[in-house]
Amino acid sequence: MAATRVQQDTFMDDSDDTCPLCVEEFDLSDKNFRPCPCGYQVCQFCYNNIKTNLNGLCPACRRPYDEKSIEWKIVSPEEFKADVALQARKKAAARQKEVERRQAESSSRKNLAGLRVVQKNLVYVVGLNPKIREEDLLQTLRGDQYFGQYGKIIKIVVSKAKEGSGGNQSIGVYVTFARKQDAASCIAAVDGSQNGDRVLRHVCTTS
């Protein structure tokens, strides 16, 4: 029996060992730095900025930062040397990956010049502003009150919320239906419809 490819709903969010405030990658000392007992981790630069220039509170639990409660591990020379080697390998791998990506793009452009394949079972809707907690959002979008009413859904991908006029945030949602007929029904119903004070729009997708 052929293996079945499992697709999962996801948020488009890339955060790998990065500070949630400045979005800079943690260095070795930052990885061993825990400024608050709640476990919320920020880099030392942001920690010092919060202590010196802001309110001195943990962004997650709002507890005042206290130097007595900081968990700190001194980095040994061996750990530092190993981290330097690891970072060098990561940079070399990233450079190689970029070279391969450019080569693949160049090859694709030569073989598929001028070709665009319309994905008739994929719907991309912009302008949604659901008042739902992030952990419940994907399941809610699959429900009968949202896209689930139009047919079987294979996959949903939610793009990061973007700031709109008046400080309101809206999201973009990619919905892959099992049948192109269901996607067409969704587009007909959603495109131009009202969502609070926003008008929902379907954006054509190609690959």
Side-chain angles (χ1 to χ4, degrees), residues 32-117:
N32 292 282
F33 178 67
R34 298 289 190 279
C36 183
C38 77
Y40 188 75
Q41 190 174 13
V42 298
C43 70
Q44 294 169 70
F45 176 86
C46 288
Y47 166 78
N48 289 325
N49 184 49
I50 292 172
K51 287 276 290 182
T52 305
N53 303 317
L54 302 177
N55 55 17
L57 304 179
C58 171
C61 70
R62 312 305 293 172
R63 181 182 310 181
Y65 277 138
D66 184 354
E67 293 184 1
K68 295 180 181 178
S69 63
I70 293 176
E71 293 184 19
W72 174 262
K73 176 185 174 184
I74 302 298
V75 179
S76 68
E78 292 77 14
E79 288 176 313
F80 180 78
K81 185 177 180 180
D83 185 68
V84 170
L86 175 62
Q87 295 303 321
R89 290 196 299 271
K90 288 174 66 175
K91 289 180 179 179
R95 286 194 297 268
Q96 180 61 30
K97 186 175 181 180
E98 178 65 16
V99 169
E100 293 174 354
R101 183 188 67 81
R102 291 181 179 180
Q103 290 174 342
E105 285 184 353
S106 177
S107 177
S108 296
R109 282 195 295 269
K110 291 177 181 178
N111 296 329
L112 301 175
L115 179 63
R116 285 287 184 270
V117 178

Side-chain angles (χ1 to χ4, degrees), residues 121-166:
N121 66 330
L122 176 62
V123 177
Y124 178 44
V125 177
V126 295
L128 273 172
N129 186 23
K131 306 297 184 182
I132 305 166
R133 295 184 306 174
E134 182 174 296
E135 56 266 31
D136 299 327
L137 180 57
L138 291 170
Q139 191 61 37
T140 301
L141 292 174
R142 277 184 171 269
D144 292 339
Q145 296 297 316
Y146 283 87
F147 298 103
Q149 63 183 294
Y150 303 110
K152 182 180 178 181
I153 294 172
I154 296 176
K155 183 178 181 180
I156 291 179
V157 175
V158 178
S159 65
K160 293 179 180 179
K162 295 183 178 179
E163 201 75 16
S165 58

Side-chain angles (χ1 to χ4, degrees), residues 161-176:
K162 295 183 178 179
E163 201 75 16
S165 58
N168 294 323
Q169 289 187 327
S170 66
I171 60 174
V173 182
Y174 295 86
V175 185
T176 305

